[in-house]
């Protein structure tokens, strides 16, 4: 397992959009820039959803315009429709992310549309992106369970992931939205999707709501996935379980990847500093283990 | 991987002894009894170390005398020397645990004796236990790193584990005392020890200080281990990193084992209730993910 893993930090978007308190635009910009500086090659910067839905992302244009983009770093933004796409392009966005649920009940409750309808709505967006040479990343949510319908058949995950891939997404991120999955289930789901979409076009996105995220990542690394989503400082709670933790923390992930001898080109010490800084900015307690423990005792230990 | 896993809850001893505040004797007794009632078949009850070293465990005799022991449940207690052994036997202890470090520096700093000396001191204890038909469990600490010497050669872990096994320990628990290990390293260490001591006589004991515990357990389950230590509610901090988390939470572990289709005969809902209760008693925040998230959204999901 000694090879390259690309970590996608979704903290500035998926993380912050679940934070209740208002976050200053300057803080968002600094967060994105610091992550890129620490070696993250993909930083999900913001979301061009309607500010009515997600007030926290109302400053998307301002944030994206202001960041000093680094060469070799991708800054995807979430785009829900053509209007969002136009707003994104006005400020020079070069990569977008679109999304579909694997659970029919979740799709209906979340965006008031069936899965099929929601994917159809993205067709003109993806067509425009193709025309503009804008890369498109796809998210599939509720891949291991749904807060409304319960179990989600793997076949439904495979179908939605396959559709997004055929529509033109260069990468499909498979998300356990409510953090219910365990390693064998996660691996089986990934392998089923990989029979339809090449493994090299797949990413995994686990929430740590029940502490399973890192074990799930490990099981999926064994199955061959090499792109993993995470959120600096574990930013983002879980809207389905009050007070619970949400995203897997990037620093806990990178600690494991370093230990596995997998190359990420990310500076772990810088990452921990960023996590502690953003926790301070948001006056929230550390939700990653590593932000609490630090690396002080680890130096000099053989890891691989 | 569909088989039986025995979970050893070390919360009442390894967990509570690291709690700064005084814990009432009645609370300790209730904790042990509730864990057994929830289906734990091994509950490490207390420690017969000198109250001068660990004041929290000064009521060891009182605690052990008072618990209503259930048939089929083991209640090992930590014993540091012959005096501790005698105190334990006076109250009817039927299983003890002894310990050795894999790191020479840790042994010297922790108990002011070399590893060899520390093991020698246990010889009369284990001989007495054999004579009394008292079972002996062995702990090896610092198996993946030491706060004083840094890296710990695997050969040292193998040697200490092998010695404890030859001395008469029926099971050896391999402990990552400072929570620095990652899955491949953990698995490689376990497999090296298993070449010397049968896998069926080995247990793993991971601390979650850097979030790696559950991923490490998963990797070791893949390698064949079937006994795992954990601490209800993640009780017990990390004495080597202020404010950091320590033990792996039993409820997070059992959630994973259930999901893997492994049988533990433990009632997970009861476990979460105990975790929330003890957190309330100790007025500490939840340190397990599951105590925060609960199982409400998980019911009805297919796990295996």
């Amino acid at each position: 397992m000694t090879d390259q893993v690309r970590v996608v930090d979704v903290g500035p978007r998926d993380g912050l959009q679940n934070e209740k308190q208002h976050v200053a635009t300057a803080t968002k910009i600094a967060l994105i820039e610091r992550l890129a500086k620490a070696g993250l090659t993909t930083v999900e910067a913001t979301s061009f959803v309607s500010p009515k839905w997600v007030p926290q992302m109302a400053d998307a244009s301002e944030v994206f315009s202001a960041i000093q983009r680094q060469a070799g770093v991708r800054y995807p933004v979430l785009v829900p429709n053509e209007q969002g796409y136009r707003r994104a392009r006005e400020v020079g966005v070069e990569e977008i992310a679109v999304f579909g649920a694997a659970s029919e009940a979740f799709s209906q409750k979340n965006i008031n549309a069936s899965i099929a309808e929601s994917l159809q709505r993205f067709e003109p967006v993806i067509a425009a992106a193709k025309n503009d040479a804008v890369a498109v990343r796809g998210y599939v949510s509720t891949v291991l369970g749904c807060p409304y319908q319960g179990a989600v058949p793997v076949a439904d995950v495979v179908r939605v992931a396959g559709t997004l891939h055929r529509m033109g997404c260069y990468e499909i991120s498979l998300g356990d939205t409510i953090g219910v999955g365990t390693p064998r289930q996660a691996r089986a789901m990934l392998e089923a999707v990989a029979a339809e979409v090449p493994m090299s076009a797949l990413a995994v996105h686990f929430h740590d709501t029940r502490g399973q995220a890192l074990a799930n990542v490990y099981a999926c690394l064994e199955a061959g996935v090499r792109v993993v989503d995470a959120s600096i400082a574990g930013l983002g709670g879980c809207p389905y379980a009050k007070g619970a933790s949400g995203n897997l923390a990037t620093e806990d992930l990178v600690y494991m990847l370093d230990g596995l001898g997998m190359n990420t080109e990310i500076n772990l010490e810088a990452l921990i500093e960023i996590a502690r800084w953003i926790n301070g900015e948001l006056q929230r307690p550390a939700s990653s283990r590593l932000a609490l423990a630090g690396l002080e005792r680890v130096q000099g230990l053989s890891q691989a």
Side-chain angles (χ1 to χ4, degrees), chain A residues 58-81:
Chain A
D59 57 359
S61 298
E62 216 177 328
V63 167
F64 198 90
S65 305
I67 46 174
Q68 297 272 346
R69 283 184 267 172
Q70 281 191 31
V73 179
R74 327 173 72 116
Y75 301 89
V77 304
L78 202 73
V79 151
N81 50 33

Side-chain angles (χ1 to χ4, degrees), chain A residues 136-265:
Chain A
V136 185
R137 193 170 198 250
Y139 281 108
V140 184
S141 65
T142 60
V143 299
L144 296 175
C146 166
Y148 309 115
Q149 87 179 37
V152 174
V154 171
D156 294 352
V157 182
V158 173
R159 200 183 56 249
V160 175
T163 304
L164 282 169
H165 190 244
R166 277 190 304 277
M167 285 169 73
C169 294
Y170 78 93
E171 184 168 281
I172 316 291
S173 174
L174 303 164
D176 180 10
T177 310
I178 54 173
V180 291
T182 45
R184 277 180 72 194
Q185 187 196 12
R187 182 177 177 151
M189 178 277 301
L190 173 68
E191 287 176 337
V193 177
E196 177 92 11
V197 179
M199 188 66 89
S200 58
L202 294 177
V204 289
H205 182 116
F206 294 113
H207 282 203
D208 207 30
T209 319
R210 287 164 194 85
Q212 310 295 307
L214 212 45
N216 291 345
V217 169
Y218 178 72
C220 290
L221 289 171
E222 287 190 307
V225 85
R226 289 296 178 268
V227 185
V228 184
D229 293 2
S231 174
I232 183 72
L235 283 181
C238 174
Y240 308 101
K242 200 168 169 291
S245 45
N247 280 297
L248 170 61
T250 310
E251 58 273 30
D252 288 353
L253 169 66
V254 171
Y255 183 88
M256 183 177 81
L257 294 171
D258 282 357
L260 295 174
M262 300 186 112
N263 186 21
T264 64
E265 282 162 31

Side-chain angles (χ1 to χ4, degrees), chain A residues 7-12 35 40 42-45 228-232 250 271:
Chain A
V7 176
V8 175
D9 200 297
V10 300
L35 287 169
L40 267 301
T42 313
V43 181
E44 198 181 49
V228 184
D229 293 2
S231 174
I232 183 72
T250 310
L271 221 50

Side-chain angles (χ1 to χ4, degrees), chain A residues 16 22-34 59 62-63 66-67 277-278 281:
Chain A
L16 288 186
H22 173 75
V23 181
T25 304
T27 305
K28 296 174 182 173
I29 297 163
L31 179 62
I32 298 162
E33 291 180 348
R34 290 178 83 152
D59 57 359
E62 216 177 328
V63 167
I67 46 174
W277 163 78
I278 192 68
E281 288 288 313

